[in-house]
Amino acid sequence: MKWTSLNELREKFLSFFESKGHLRLPSFSLVPQGDKSLLLINSGMAPMKKYFTREEEPPRDRVCTCQKCIRTPDLERVGHTARHGTYFEMLGNFSFADYFKNEAIAWAWEFLTVTLEIPAELLWPSVYERDDEAYAIWRDKIGVPEEHIVKLGKADNFWEHGTGPCGPCSEIYFDRGEKYGCGSPDCKPGCDCDRFMEIWNNVFTQFDNDGKGNYTELKNKNIDTGMGLERLACVMQGVDNLFEVDTVRALLDAVCDKAGKKYGEKTSDDVSIRVITDHTRSATFMISDGVIPSNEGRGYVLRRIIRRACRHGKLLGIEGAFLRPLSEIVISQNEGAYPELRAKYDYILKVIGLEEERFNATIDSGLGILSGIIDAAKSEDKSEISGADAFKLYDTFGFPPDLTREIAEESGLKINEDEFTSLMNEQKARARAARGNISGWTDSSKNLLSSLPETEFLGYESTECEAKILSIITEGETAEELSEGEFSLILDKTVFYGEGGGQVGDSGEIVTSDGAKITVLDTKKTNGIYIHECRIDAGAIKVGGAVKAKIDVSRRDAIRRNHSSAHLLQAALRSVLGTHVEQAGSYVDENRVRFDFTHLSAMTAEEIARVEAIVNENILTAEPCETVVTSPDEAKKMGAMALFGEKYGKLVRVVKIGSSSTELCGGTHVSSTGQIGLFKIISESSVAAGVRRIEGTTGLGVLTLLSERDALISETAKELKSPNVNAIAKKAGGIQAELKEARRELDAANSKIAEMKAEALLSGIKTVGKFKLLCARVDMRADAVRTLADTVKSKYPDGVAVFAAVDGEKLNFVASAGSEAVKLGAHAGNILREISAICGGKGGGRPDSAMSGGKDVSKVKDALAEAENILAKI
Ligand code: ATP
Ligand code: MG
């Protein structure tokens, strides 16, 4: 057995199975395509389900892969066991109704014992206890002694997922020696300790389960196997756990460096070091496959993983951000097998760095609050934290619930989960209610469609057609005839495009042979049935009647131009910003194109200009556009960009817009890029974290935009009194400068006036009892009044100043009292409290200085007179 690097092992496995007639496929994305049952790919078999079910033809009946996998159920075990990561690679060979147990077992054995030269006595196969066939193969054909074959029950060695195909498994364990054992006399494969490590699982899909406990033999039996690449490397490199395997170790060492820790000194530190190592790998690969941190679905898995890594960094005492340089190591260690990592280098680092920054900001405030909550719970001898507290941390501070849970558990506290869940559900219900009901069609009106055939769509080739009325639906019921009002109309054929794929529905006109006239306002599509939203303008219609349908061609042409420009825009964005750009949504109507895409930062003015220029170059070369309907495989060969996560049927429509863009799309398009005329970006903005939006327009829309801008310029020129429109910028600049100068002069004049006013006011100071009083309505800005009051205070130690200032509707009082006056019993705050009450206001303040408001301006005089009364009495 020779030391072999992880990258070499991957290659050895794949070429071994190629030599056995297998087709080598690249790893599928971690994001499941067209499979809503799974958040993230967790095995080599997961992305091949479609081949096992024959929903799609496999490219060959023998296939082998090395598949990137994420397993969140193993999250809590990571770092604690030797053999679990949330990210790992799974080697696998697959047979789609081709070879079965005999070959699978023999090849697995050959690969391990001959190719890799692992000593046979260290390998222990396990079989399902009732699978005599597999047992016999191991014992008789391979020659494994009986005492080295373990029989395990259904829980361990029978693969089953509800009803449908299922079957026994046979695993291969590697004996790492007694030193890894738990010491129990029963310790053998299947024990959860680290001695016998499962490296390879062979699943023999043999039966069909009808759900009632009946198992029938499948006609077409399949093989699905999975071997953890890191676990195998662990064996071949003789290291303790999968974090010490060459490529992973490089990362682990970097974590130690960063933390200033030595690996192997303290158990809890080692766990944190391994967690960070694993989580950086997961995060890097998830981001490269297009996952963006968010609060939902796989985005939340990513967020959680990044945040967990950050937190373990804090446990190790790492200060500040540290994930980017670690992610760089993941990229450099893996780019050979996964070139997409290098292609998306900048993007990956940016996403990981941003999320870490965001979290650091949250965590610092959240941790403080949480430790307060924990202390309080402990001092009250409670065993749990209330659901309301956990919810508040999440809802108000964005502190992740699982982190609250983990930290609480470290202090022996639980969270009141029922209360927490019910608060979360309430919040979700509120959010749903706020979104409202968007689909206008109720379920009962949808039922009305169930008996109708799919509509034949002729709108790709024609703009008008003859058709027959199949159904008239008005106010939620079908009607035989109709002569007025708004209704939905279903025909056997149509040229009207039904809203879908981000393109609005067509509008137009339908006429009958006996003169009825109908306006089509909009068209929708559901389950292949086109629903025309109509209004009767003249005459009557009835089911079975013949009609002529004609779309609004100029509107459709404008929609076409916008839709085709969206495709060119996507291609241009990818060439300017990078291939991490993926469509996140789009909307096109006759006026504009709106395109959402994954990208982290705002585009610069230059990037926008470059994208715009590329699209327009593609337009001006007037290249032909074509559509082909073909198989998904053929489409892929043509280089078609498919929509992320979308499910496509047996046949797909490939749209080629010029030479730069090939996409799967069901929309309507121009036949030459030249028909688009011109493309103009109107705005670039952010829609969500990591998603940008461009809005633009084409063709006549650009002309409209230009006319509007021209009008705006003329109007501006008029307002600026600049007959020469080209001079408006200069003119506006000049006016700004003039304005600035005028303001400066005005300010100077104002302060002069204030000074004079102050002098005049001060001359009005009079003696009231023990005090000097200056009492006046001044109507200056609040800060000026305050300065005035301060001046009185410093000039006259025995002085009291009370001012009322009216500014529009607002009435303010300001008062001050000098040091001597305060000693003698004057209190600015109390004076204001009393006098502002006269004007219906409130407020007060310190003895030497106070401010308050009031409402009734007509009583200002009385209020000021009262100030004098108060002082006279002291
Ligand atoms: P275990 O019981 O050790 O968790 P498993 O039964 O979950 O393993 P399978 O679902 O049979 O494993 O997956 C097939 C192979 O993938 C395993 O034999 C192992 O080599 C590898 N594997 C499974 N889970 C992980 C993991 N979390 N990290 C690394 N490798 C794994
Ligand atoms: Mg497992």
Side-chain angles (χ1 to χ4, degrees), residues 71 74 77 84:
R71 284 199 181 179
D74 287 340
R77 299 165 91 176
H84 291 101

Side-chain angles (χ1 to χ4, degrees), residues 194-235:
D194 277 334
R195 172 167 178 182
F196 295 97
M197 176 164 72
E198 177 196 326
I199 53 172
W200 202 341
N201 191 2
N202 283 252
V203 182
F204 312 127
T205 317
Q206 187 170 2
F207 302 112
D208 186 62
N209 175 0
D210 67 358
K212 300 190 191 89
N214 303 318
Y215 294 88
T216 44
E217 288 268 338
L218 280 174
K219 208 163 76 232
N220 293 319
K221 300 189 178 92
N222 300 317
I223 290 288
D224 140 33
T225 89
M227 170 156 60
L229 176 60
E230 292 83 353
R231 287 196 191 176
L232 181 65
C234 200
V235 168

Side-chain angles (χ1 to χ4, degrees), residues 115-128:
T115 309
L116 299 184
E117 299 173 16
I118 299 177
E121 62 276 14
L122 296 182
L123 295 173
W124 292 63
S126 75
V127 296
Y128 174 49

Side-chain angles (χ1 to χ4, degrees), residues 473-485:
I473 299 173
T474 177
E475 289 169 5
E477 283 175 40
T478 51
E480 276 305 304
E481 291 189 15
L482 201 71
S483 56
E484 59 175 13

Side-chain angles (χ1 to χ4, degrees), residues 77-99:
R77 299 165 91 176
V78 169
H80 296 279
T81 72
R83 63 183 201 281
H84 291 101
T86 54
Y87 172 81
F88 64 97
E89 293 174 61
M90 196 185 283
L91 302 166
N93 52 296
F94 305 90
S95 153
F96 308 112
D98 182 29
Y99 63 85

